Amino acid sequence: MAGDPVAALVAALKADAGIAEQLGESVFGGELPMGEAASMPRKALVLKPSGGPSLTNGSNAAHDTQRIDVFAYGATPAEAAALMADVSLCLLWLQRAVWAQTLIHWVNSAGGYMSGREPDTDWPRVFKSFQVFHALQSVS
């Protein structure tokens, strides 16, 4: 089976005591579930794959990089920004480990952040991209 870097980062964030204290289970991969919309705007995270350059292009390595976009939501722009600051530190401090059956070697910032509002709903959010180096095959 293929490794899933989005699921791995969701699992890592949910396992972090500081993030879990702020969000509980409100960390999602791919998109915000329909049932969550009624509770918004409030603190929540959505992680999405978004392309980016491969650091193993042209090799036979069983590892690759994936850019992951993280969207931090809050009741206010300041709350969303504070959440993103905490999430950024958590991701950047991740050590080589297996999360959700995916080996993550490292997570790096892929640039600065952007604050604003969700276009369709006007919910406050902060957006930031990260580059993840991970194993392509899942780990049992």
Side-chain angles (χ1 to χ4, degrees), residues 20-83:
E21 182 180 324
Q22 293 184 66
L23 297 175
E25 291 294 311
S26 296
V27 182
F28 307 102
E31 64 183 4
L32 192 66
M34 291 289 226
E36 289 292 313
S39 301
M40 299 298 281
R42 66 180 175 93
K43 286 185 179 182
L45 289 176
V46 175
L47 288 75
K48 300 179 183 187
S50 65
S54 171
L55 295 182
T56 60
N57 188 26
S59 77
N60 291 324
H63 296 74
D64 206 353
T65 51
Q66 171 68 53
R67 194 173 83 182
I68 306 288
D69 292 341
V70 178
F71 297 86
Y73 295 92
T76 66
E79 186 176 74
L83 175 59

Side-chain angles (χ1 to χ4, degrees), residues 58-129:
S59 77
N60 291 324
H63 296 74
D64 206 353
T65 51
Q66 171 68 53
R67 194 173 83 182
I68 306 288
D69 292 341
V70 178
F71 297 86
Y73 295 92
T76 66
E79 186 176 74
L83 175 59
M84 181 58 79
D86 291 343
V87 168
S88 292
L89 288 177
C90 179
L91 291 176
L92 295 173
W93 289 344
L94 278 182
Q95 298 293 313
R96 184 177 184 268
V98 174
W99 299 97
Q101 297 182 314
T102 301
L103 174 61
I104 300 295
H105 291 278
W106 50 255
V107 179
N108 288 331
S109 175
Y113 72 92
M114 182 179 78
S115 61
R117 293 192 175 262
E118 184 76 23
D120 295 331
T121 62
D122 206 36
W123 297 331
R125 76 172 185 191
V126 172
F127 158 82
K128 183 174 170 117
S129 295

